[in-house]
Amino acid sequence: MHAPRVGESAVSLTSTTLPVVLALAAAAVFALLASGRPRVRRPWAATGARAAGLLVLNVLVVALVGAELNDHFDFYVSWSDLAGAQAATTVTHHGATARSAASTRLPSGLRPATSLPALPSPGERVQHYTVTGARSGVRGQVDVLLPAGYSTATATSYPVLEALHGYPGTTDSWLTGMGVEGALDRAVADHSIKDAVVVLPQINLPYAVDSECVDGPAGTSQVETWLAQDVPQFVVDHFRVRTDRSSWAVAGYSEGGWCAAMLGLRHPAVFGGDIVFSGSFTPEFSRGYRPFGSRVPGRYQLAAVVRRDPPPLAMWVQASKKDGYAYPPTAAFLKSVRAPLSVTTDLLKTGGHREQLWAGELPTALSWLGRSVPGFSP
């Protein structure tokens, strides 16, 4: 995910100089300690000096590992970003209005349930399931966050947010790192959004494989079908939810952001709203899993898909201009946007590629969802 940057200082957080400096410093301290230095006559002082030297060496090694990981994943892109400085934000709009895009009537294909089964953990807000998709044949974990006070005994039906984690990640990543339960509860209390059922499916199938949520050739996992058809139908069959597309949205971050963009744009009959945190608009397969070989099918080149046949979909897209994974494909995608597609962007001047940043933007995304997609309006 790392991309070259222009205008970096010699020892900026993401420069190639920083790991070199840290490695040389660690080697120097190690050599000093190995030679028996510093030599101090008093035993207590010698012990203290050696302990201090070992502490410095460990700090340098940890900093070196952190710098290398940051260089690869772009967690932080500057010293000010690491210090928690708030980045300036630019909001733009492209294509149709969000509400008109989300309100367009399309047949969702979801079959309303005649009766609902009992919850596996009555009284708890988070329910856990293992689901086998009837269409995809995929078997995976699905967690469901219920609204406070949810009951199958009432006639209230809720909108649905299908939330996708990144890679590596698990179904509870939105509950822990993203803090979706607290963020949604606060937005509901502020009357920014209607309470919703949040569905948290496993997306890397088989387990720990960077699937990019695609339907691969015969013999590979049909993850797109699992997420776009099987999981939504499972939700309809088990919970009091609405089935119209203006009451369904998909959201994701990093790899899950690509997946959310792909699912919304390729399945607008299911999803009327779409939230993308630092995602791409073309799949980025790892070396260990390349279902299509060296070429990516045209159906997964989203800029071309939108240029050819834009669907009626309301999208909210967040990216940092310093994020080498997300910003270049986002900028290229925006050039293709036209009605009936609607895209609202939340572009940060700086900022890295990490959950802490996306969690901070989540309230803005939920507020947009409540204003823009009718089924989520309070």
Side-chain angles (χ1 to χ4, degrees):
M1 284 187 283
H2 183 64
R5 299 179 185 83
V6 179
E8 294 178 334
S9 63
V11 286
S12 73
L13 184 61
T14 55
S15 70
T16 55
T17 305
L18 181 61
V20 173
V21 170
L22 291 171
L24 290 175
V29 173
F30 176 79
L32 188 70
L33 293 173
S35 67
R37 292 183 175 84
R39 295 189 175 93
V40 182
R41 292 183 178 181
R42 296 181 180 181
W44 63 268
T47 300
R50 191 156 188 85
L54 288 171
L55 177 61
V56 170
L57 177 60
N58 279 278
V59 168
L60 288 170
V61 170
V62 170
L64 175 59
V65 172
E68 291 288 358
L69 287 172
N70 188 66
D71 185 61
H72 180 73
F73 289 107
D74 283 342
F75 296 131
Y76 300 91
V77 296
S78 66
W79 294 112
S80 60
D81 187 25
L82 181 62
Q86 189 69 31
T89 303
T90 301
V91 177
T92 64
H93 302 276
H94 305 259
T97 65
R99 203 166 184 87
S100 66
S103 301
T104 301
R105 293 184 179 274
L106 297 174
S108 72
L110 296 174
R111 303 180 304 275
T114 55
S115 62
L116 300 176
L119 298 175
S121 303
E124 296 185 12
R125 289 192 65 180
V126 180
Q127 306 289 315
H128 305 278
Y129 298 86
T130 300
V131 178
T132 300
R135 296 178 179 84
S136 66
V138 168
R139 181 178 175 84
Q141 183 177 345
V142 177
D143 294 343
V144 180
L145 171 65
L146 298 175
Y150 173 89
S151 172
T152 56
T154 66
T156 303
S157 294
Y158 294 91
V160 179
L161 177 64
E162 186 171 331
L164 312 177
H165 58 78
Y167 178 83
T170 60
T171 55
D172 66 353
S173 296
W174 274 82
L175 297 170
T176 54
M178 290 294 285
V180 68
E181 182 176 347
L184 181 58
D185 286 350
R186 288 188 291 273
V188 171
D190 292 341
H191 304 288
S192 299
I193 192 172
K194 186 177 181 178
D195 217 345
V197 169
V198 182
V199 186
L200 310 165
Q202 181 181 349
I203 70 171
N204 294 313
L205 298 156
Y207 182 74
V209 170
D210 181 6
S211 70
E212 296 293 299
C213 301
V214 302
D215 280 355
T220 63
S221 294
Q222 306 298 291
V223 184
E224 179 185 351
T225 298
W226 153 260
L227 295 171
Q229 298 182 45
D230 291 333
V231 170
Q233 189 59 57
F234 167 81
V235 173
V236 171
D237 288 342
H238 287 75
F239 302 96
R240 290 201 177 278
V241 297
R242 299 180 60 175
T243 58
D244 56 290
R245 65 181 297 267
S246 65
S247 297
W248 279 72
V250 59
Y253 61 82
S254 193
E255 180 209 0
W258 142 256
C259 296
M262 181 270 292
L263 290 171
L265 291 168
R266 284 183 41 78
H267 301 274
V270 177
F271 304 104
D274 200 328
I275 294 173
V276 178
F277 293 98
S278 298
S280 183
F281 290 86
T282 187
E284 300 281 347
F285 295 106
S286 63
R287 293 180 180 178
Y289 183 73
R290 295 187 179 274
F292 308 110
S294 60
R295 300 185 65 181
V296 176
R299 65 182 182 274
Y300 293 128
Q301 300 287 352
L302 299 185
V305 169
V306 166
R307 191 161 49 246
R308 181 176 61 251
D309 186 20
L313 177 71
M315 299 186 75
W316 182 92
V317 177
Q318 176 273 325
S320 163
K321 293 183 178 180
K322 297 292 185 179
D323 185 344
Y325 168 77
Y327 184 72
T330 297
F333 172 77
L334 292 176
K335 294 178 181 178
S336 299
V337 174
R338 58 188 176 90
L341 175 63
S342 171
V343 179
T344 299
T345 64
D346 190 76
L347 302 178
L348 307 183
K349 184 177 181 180
T350 187
H353 194 87
R354 63 189 189 277
E355 278 188 344
Q356 182 186 21
L357 183 147
W358 304 321
E361 294 293 304
L362 181 56
T364 301
L366 293 176
S367 179
W368 170 87
L369 188 61
R371 292 193 311 271
S372 305
V373 182
F376 292 85
S377 295

